[in-house]
Amino acid sequence: MKNKIQSEESKIKIALEYGNNIIATLREPFLVLDKRLRVISANQAFYATFGVTEKDTVGQLLISLGDGQWNISKLLLLLKEIIPKKMIVKDYEVEHKFEHIGQRFMSLNACQITVPKKIVKMIVVVVAAAAAEEEEEEEEEEEEEEEEELILMAIEDITERKRTQEILEASEKRYRGVFDTAQDGLLIVNKAKGDILNANPAVQGLLGYSLEEFLKLKLWEIGVTKDYKDFHEEVLKIEKGGAIHYEKIELETEKGLSLNVEVFLTNKIGTIQCNIRDITGRMKLEAESSKRLKELETYYRVCMGREERVVELKKEVDTLKKELGK
């Protein structure tokens, strides 16, 4: 019987060593807690990240670690509910000012696990005063092995990710403001398929399509390119040069009206930004200016012709005066 017990304990120790080695290699801090939120074990990443030692961590209540840096009421309440409610916590975010690393965002994943108390005793580091008590319990557990519920908790520092996300959100907000208030019509187009992904109010007013209608169209269906083949060829040019400028394209509005526009296609990650500028007024002004210029040129030629005729007449008069004088 004794040999059997020793054999079982040997297998358990091997399994625990295997598990501990896996936990030790985790890059993220990792804790094993009992139902009272007392630390059963922690990996090296936890000690390094939070500036604590194994001596000051194992056997201590989570709330007392690092001068109370884990005394976070919402977190403690959540952890206390894991065992009785058999909960699984996924990506629970905590923002807190930790003693050694300052203000950080942490993402926590935790779950409940039930293991024999014999295994818990093998992995827990206890104070000397508790050793005698554990020896007395061993004989009772040989007859009927009791189980203990533990909490496994993985901790990921997501501070940089959150900061990057905040920067991106602020940038997106600024871009959205520019996008929505731009006087030029703006379309965001899928680079692979040519689907229109977004359209600002200016282009909706310019071409007469609602946002919902734009989202059902391809770029060539509003006349910017001829077809998919032409669109694909233009995408290749944009990826090489960064942008394409069409000085004049004739588009058709939703009501079938012809509209002269200037178009810029700009390369973006996974998309193309299409700027559409109405040049109807500019073309009308240019036409009027051209007409006026021709009129001035005609007037100039007429005036020059008259001037030349006046000079010729003056010469003729002078010639007649000379002849009469003779």
Side-chain angles (χ1 to χ4, degrees):
M1 181 69 177
K2 185 176 181 180
N3 290 336
K4 184 179 179 181
I5 293 173
Q6 289 177 343
S7 177
E8 289 178 355
E9 288 181 350
S10 178
K11 291 178 182 179
I12 291 173
K13 286 179 180 179
I14 293 171
L16 285 175
E17 184 177 359
Y18 178 75
N20 286 334
N21 287 337
I22 292 176
I23 292 173
T25 60
L26 293 176
R27 296 175 62 183
E28 294 79 18
F30 192 90
L31 285 179
V32 179
L33 307 171
D34 66 15
K35 62 184 177 182
R36 296 176 296 279
L37 304 186
R38 191 179 301 277
V39 179
I40 302 298
S41 69
N43 68 347
Q44 190 59 40
F46 181 86
Y47 302 135
T49 299
F50 298 101
V52 292
T53 64
E54 181 178 358
K55 179 181 178 181
D56 296 329
T57 302
V58 176
Q60 302 298 316
L61 291 171
L62 181 66
I63 194 173
S64 64
L65 294 184
D67 294 331
Q69 62 183 348
W70 286 96
N71 188 9
I72 307 169
S73 57
K74 289 184 179 179
L75 172 62
L76 296 174
L77 181 62
L78 180 67
L79 292 175
K80 287 177 181 178
E81 292 179 344
I82 288 178
I83 289 178
K85 294 185 178 181
K86 309 295 182 183
M87 289 174 56
I88 295 177
V89 176
K90 291 190 67 177
D91 301 325
Y92 180 78
E93 292 187 9
V94 172
E95 181 183 6
H96 188 69
K97 186 174 183 179
F98 294 92
E99 182 182 8
H100 295 286
I101 57 177
Q103 196 76 19
R104 311 296 287 180
F105 288 92
M106 296 292 175
S107 177
L108 307 181
N109 289 275
C111 68
Q112 173 263 354
I113 184 172
T114 302
V115 298
K117 279 191 174 181
K118 184 182 293 185
I119 294 179
V120 176
K121 290 175 182 177
M122 288 183 179
I123 62 174
V124 74
V125 177
V126 294
V127 292
E133 180 181 346
E134 289 182 356
E135 290 175 359
E136 293 174 1
E137 293 176 353
E138 282 182 358
E139 295 180 359
E140 297 175 3
E141 289 175 358
E142 286 178 5
E143 298 178 1
E144 183 178 353
E145 188 174 50
E146 296 180 6
E147 294 182 328
E148 185 166 344
E149 293 173 315
L150 303 177
I151 297 172
L152 306 180
M153 185 170 74
I155 306 162
E156 181 184 4
D157 187 346
I158 59 170
T159 306
E160 294 307 316
R161 186 199 308 170
K162 290 286 288 185
R163 287 173 181 167
T164 301
Q165 182 180 343
E166 289 172 358
I167 291 171
L168 289 174
E169 288 175 354
S171 177
E172 172 66 22
K173 187 176 181 180
R174 287 195 298 271
Y175 176 78
R176 173 56 58 186
V178 173
F179 185 83
D180 289 340
T181 59
Q183 294 184 355
D184 283 356
L186 297 177
L187 296 173
I188 304 300
V189 183
N190 182 287
K191 190 183 291 185
K193 298 180 179 179
D195 298 311
I196 295 175
L197 305 177
N198 205 351
N200 74 337
V203 77
Q204 294 175 44
L206 186 63
L207 298 182
Y209 296 100
S210 67
L211 177 59
E212 291 73 19
E213 290 171 326
F214 265 119
L215 298 182
K216 296 176 183 178
L217 297 173
K218 308 281 189 180
L219 189 61
W220 52 87
E221 290 178 325
I222 64 171
V224 175
T225 59
K226 297 176 183 178
D227 49 32
Y228 173 74
K229 182 180 178 182
D230 183 44
F231 169 75
H232 181 65
E233 290 174 353
E234 298 301 270
V235 168
L236 294 177
K237 292 178 186 177
I238 294 168
E239 289 180 336
K240 288 181 180 179
I244 291 178
H245 175 215
Y246 301 109
E247 292 186 3
K248 180 185 174 183
I249 291 181
E250 193 172 290
L251 300 184
E252 189 175 285
T253 68
E254 188 270 338
K255 293 182 179 180
L257 300 176
S258 180
L259 188 68
N260 292 311
V261 299
E262 181 180 21
V263 174
F264 295 84
L265 297 178
T266 309
N267 190 34
K268 303 290 182 183
I269 299 176
T271 62
I272 291 173
Q273 180 174 300
C274 177
N275 291 44
I276 301 175
R277 182 176 299 162
D278 185 2
I279 59 171
T280 305
R282 189 176 78 190
M283 290 188 65
K284 184 178 179 181
L285 182 62
E286 288 175 353
E288 290 176 354
S289 298
S290 179
K291 180 181 178 181
R292 181 61 178 161
L293 181 60
K294 288 180 180 179
E295 290 175 349
L296 288 172
E297 288 175 348
T298 302
Y299 177 75
Y300 176 76
R301 284 196 299 270
V302 170
C303 290
M304 287 299 294
R306 287 177 179 175
E307 183 68 25
E308 290 173 357
R309 183 58 181 157
V310 168
V311 172
E312 289 175 359
L313 288 173
K314 189 174 187 259
K315 287 180 179 180
E316 290 177 4
V317 169
D318 291 339
T319 301
L320 286 173
K321 283 181 178 181
K322 288 177 180 181
E323 290 179 352
L324 290 172
K326 290 178 180 180

